[in-house]
Amino acid sequence: MSEHADTSTHLSHRTLHRPMPSQLMDESNHDAEESHLLSQQQHGRPVKLVRRPTKGPIPKPVDYTSLLCGLAAGVCQAGVFNPYDRALYLSVKDSRPFLSKENWKRPYAGFIQSLGGRALAGGLYFPCEHFYLHTLSANESHPLSNFLAGILAGTTTAFIMNPLTTIRYKTWGRDNSSNLFKEARHMLVHSGYSLRPFFNGLNATVCRDAVFGACYTSLRLQLQWIFSLESHNQWQANFCAAGLATMLSSPFNYARTIQYATRSQEIQPSIKQVLVELVEQVRQQPKGLERWVFLQNQLRVGWGTLRVAMGLAFAHSVYDGLQDIFNKNQRINGRL
């Protein structure tokens, strides 16, 4: 695996393998480009990093920098989209239109307090996906390996983040602010010193993130391959894949929210119970458009879906760009 990584790090880790007639010419041009970069660096001139849209196998993540790039992408996503997230939360909480100007006042209120958790939640998926894609597709990317990599990345993220997310949901449901450690102690005491409350929503979270990961990773890479998207246009495939993945996983996200709302001393409802009750509520609505509007509101399809699609496309572009820089620097330093 390491030997292959050394010989293929110049290939883009975001696209699938498809033989190209001009591949040999591209290889020689790339070698000349790297020699020029090395000459520039040796003479003290600035080095311009050029990203190439070459299709090929997934390179090995660059040491620990994969996680650092993921965290950086999570921080950027949290910072850029915090006004959107706050407006979306207030629109649901206060039952008013999303674009109401009241939702957009103090757009960065509470941002610093939640930055760490949101950076981890927003950036952990990318290094996990990168690792599993390289592990399963070291020699050549394949739709099935991409599908499995997405499932594994989503499942890994779900297991790591669920206890922290459970505590955060509890703090959001209180009128007075509470830090995570105080809330965790409160949950532990009121459950009779049982760890069960920290695993509320775990099954729904795993199902949601597995469905999301499978759809997002496999579809975005397939779209990149079908349309031969160059690196600066690949966000379009990521955007479309994230939107569809969000809609497909929305029933499990709804069940997850209901389970997170369960009191510490109570037993959470199963995913089946939550979804069966949702179906009954939909049936109680007048026929036609009213049923669709009710279901759309419950599953948060709309502004929430757009937020996830934009956030994933943006953050993944940040992650891929940082990884390209680290890969380029590693190749240059390896030849000096």
Side-chain angles (χ1 to χ4, degrees):
M1 182 181 302
S2 60
E3 179 182 353
H4 170 76
D6 291 337
T7 58
S8 65
T9 51
H10 67 283
L11 299 176
S12 171
H13 61 274
R14 295 181 293 161
T15 47
L16 301 176
H17 177 70
R18 183 171 62 181
M20 302 175 64
S22 60
Q23 186 171 3
L24 294 177
M25 182 178 297
D26 288 344
E27 294 291 339
S28 61
N29 290 340
H30 182 49
D31 290 338
E33 173 193 328
E34 284 199 338
S35 298
H36 179 62
L37 290 175
L38 289 171
S39 176
Q40 282 186 315
Q41 188 182 63
Q42 290 172 346
H43 289 82
R45 291 192 292 268
V47 176
K48 180 181 179 181
L49 299 177
V50 181
R51 300 175 59 226
R52 304 171 68 249
T54 307
K55 302 180 184 301
I58 309 297
K60 183 179 180 180
V62 187
D63 303 327
Y64 60 88
T65 59
S66 178
L67 179 59
L68 295 180
C69 292
L71 294 178
V75 170
C76 292
Q77 179 182 193
V80 171
F81 290 95
N82 193 80
Y84 193 117
D85 294 338
R86 178 173 168 77
L88 188 62
Y89 170 75
L90 292 176
S91 68
V92 175
K93 176 178 177 291
D94 299 329
S95 300
R96 59 192 177 206
F98 171 70
L99 296 179
S100 173
K101 66 178 182 179
E102 296 296 325
N103 296 332
W104 300 88
K105 293 181 178 180
R106 302 176 60 209
Y108 284 93
F111 171 68
I112 299 299
Q113 292 85 339
S114 62
L115 180 59
R118 294 181 64 190
L120 185 61
L124 186 60
Y125 181 84
F126 307 127
C128 288
E129 183 204 56
H130 193 170
F131 170 79
Y132 287 120
L133 281 173
H134 172 75
T135 303
L136 298 174
S137 311
N139 295 320
E140 182 177 342
S141 294
H142 187 275
L144 179 59
S145 61
N146 297 334
F147 183 82
L148 294 176
I151 293 178
L152 292 173
T155 302
T156 302
T157 305
F159 274 105
I160 295 175
M161 291 303 304
N162 190 76
L164 178 61
T165 307
T166 302
I167 301 173
R168 288 174 58 198
Y169 263 73
K170 294 294 184 181
T171 61
W172 289 348
R174 301 193 183 281
D175 294 332
N176 57 333
S177 59
S178 174
N179 62 59
L180 296 181
F181 294 104
K182 184 177 180 180
E183 185 61 37
R185 183 178 181 279
H186 181 272
M187 293 170 59
L188 193 63
V189 171
H190 283 73
S191 64
Y193 293 94
S194 170
L195 295 178
R196 175 177 46 80
F198 298 95
F199 293 96
N200 281 348
L202 178 60
N203 293 336
T205 302
V206 170
C207 292
R208 184 200 68 164
D209 290 357
V211 171
F212 180 91
C215 178
Y216 175 68
T217 298
S218 59
L219 181 59
R220 77 180 187 87
L221 292 175
Q222 195 66 22
L223 289 174
Q224 291 175 16
W225 184 84
I226 292 174
F227 295 103
S228 299
L229 296 178
E230 297 186 0
S231 56
H232 60 277
N233 288 325
Q234 290 174 1
W235 66 268
Q236 301 170 11
N238 297 346
F239 176 86
C240 295
L244 180 59
T246 302
M247 289 188 286
L248 292 178
S249 60
S250 60
F252 295 110
N253 187 61
Y254 174 79
R256 171 180 179 259
T257 303
I258 298 299
Q259 291 180 347
Y260 279 159
T262 305
R263 295 179 178 272
S264 300
Q265 61 269 27
E266 297 176 354
I267 303 297
Q268 68 177 8
S270 66
I271 299 176
K272 181 179 179 181
Q273 290 173 333
V274 173
L275 296 182
V276 167
E277 183 177 352
L278 176 62
V279 171
E280 291 298 324
Q281 292 176 355
V282 172
R283 289 177 177 175
Q284 293 174 6
Q285 306 300 314
K287 294 183 178 180
L289 183 61
E290 289 82 358
R291 290 185 174 182
W292 164 248
V293 172
F294 177 83
L295 182 62
Q296 179 186 17
N297 289 332
Q298 294 300 307
L299 299 182
R300 297 293 184 264
V301 175
W303 290 114
T305 306
L306 180 61
R307 159 63 180 91
V308 175
M310 292 191 303
L312 261 293
F314 170 78
H316 218 142
S317 296
V318 173
Y319 174 81
D320 286 337
L322 292 175
Q323 277 289 288
D324 284 347
I325 292 175
F326 278 114
N327 277 317
K328 181 73 71 173
N329 289 339
Q330 186 185 59
R331 291 197 301 273
I332 293 176
N333 293 334
R335 292 193 179 187
L336 293 180

